[in-house]
Amino acid sequence: MKKLLVALLSVLVICVLGSAAVFAAKYNPNIQPTTIAEVQKNAYDDQHVAIDGKFVKQLYKDVFTFRDTAGTEINVEVDDDCRYILEMDTPVRILAEVDKDWYGIDLEVKRIQKL
């Protein structure tokens, strides 16, 4: 029984560490910041972007209005994993994934860094 428990815990640890490594590699914090206008003009679906600005309003549980340093606003969906660091009117850099569809462009925030 102990061997089975140790084996299951080992597999769980490997899965968690593996997914953390994939997440860290996928959302590179060294992406050069851009603006919302540039994203709306040139972005493609699933592109990773970094934008400096601040959260200005909560619209729904996980949907917020984000204003970049140029003053342009966009609605963003914030992952549960990074909502604990979210503060209104605080300068931050968001690392997000572009979600482009028939209705326009949305950003899915994957990481928030305070500036």
Side-chain angles (χ1 to χ4, degrees):
M1 182 69 175
K2 284 186 179 181
K3 289 181 181 181
L4 178 62
L5 182 59
V6 169
L8 288 174
L9 286 175
S10 298
V11 169
L12 179 65
V13 168
I14 290 170
C15 289
V16 169
L17 292 177
S19 64
V22 168
F23 180 82
K26 189 173 180 181
Y27 298 100
N28 183 353
N30 297 325
I31 297 172
Q32 292 299 316
T34 186
T35 63
I36 293 171
E38 191 68 29
V39 168
Q40 290 172 332
K41 183 178 176 185
N42 297 320
Y44 54 87
D45 197 31
D46 297 330
Q47 179 181 2
H48 299 144
V49 295
I51 303 173
D52 293 343
K54 59 185 176 181
F55 292 94
V56 292
K57 184 171 37 172
Q58 183 173 8
L59 301 174
Y60 306 107
K61 179 181 174 186
D62 61 349
V63 178
F64 296 83
T65 300
F66 184 80
R67 181 181 299 140
D68 68 5
T69 54
T72 308
E73 294 183 353
I74 191 170
N75 292 341
V76 298
E77 181 180 342
V78 178
D79 276 1
D80 292 338
D81 297 343
C82 58
R83 275 212 333 249
Y84 69 92
I85 197 169
L86 190 149
E87 295 178 16
M88 295 295 164
D89 296 320
T90 301
V92 295
R93 174 173 293 158
I94 59 170
L95 299 173
E97 184 175 298
V98 176
D99 183 20
K100 194 171 188 179
D101 57 22
W102 293 102
Y103 303 109
I105 293 179
D106 296 321
L107 297 177
E108 297 176 10
V109 178
K110 303 297 183 180
R111 186 180 284 170
I112 299 171
Q113 298 173 338
K114 290 185 180 181
L115 298 179

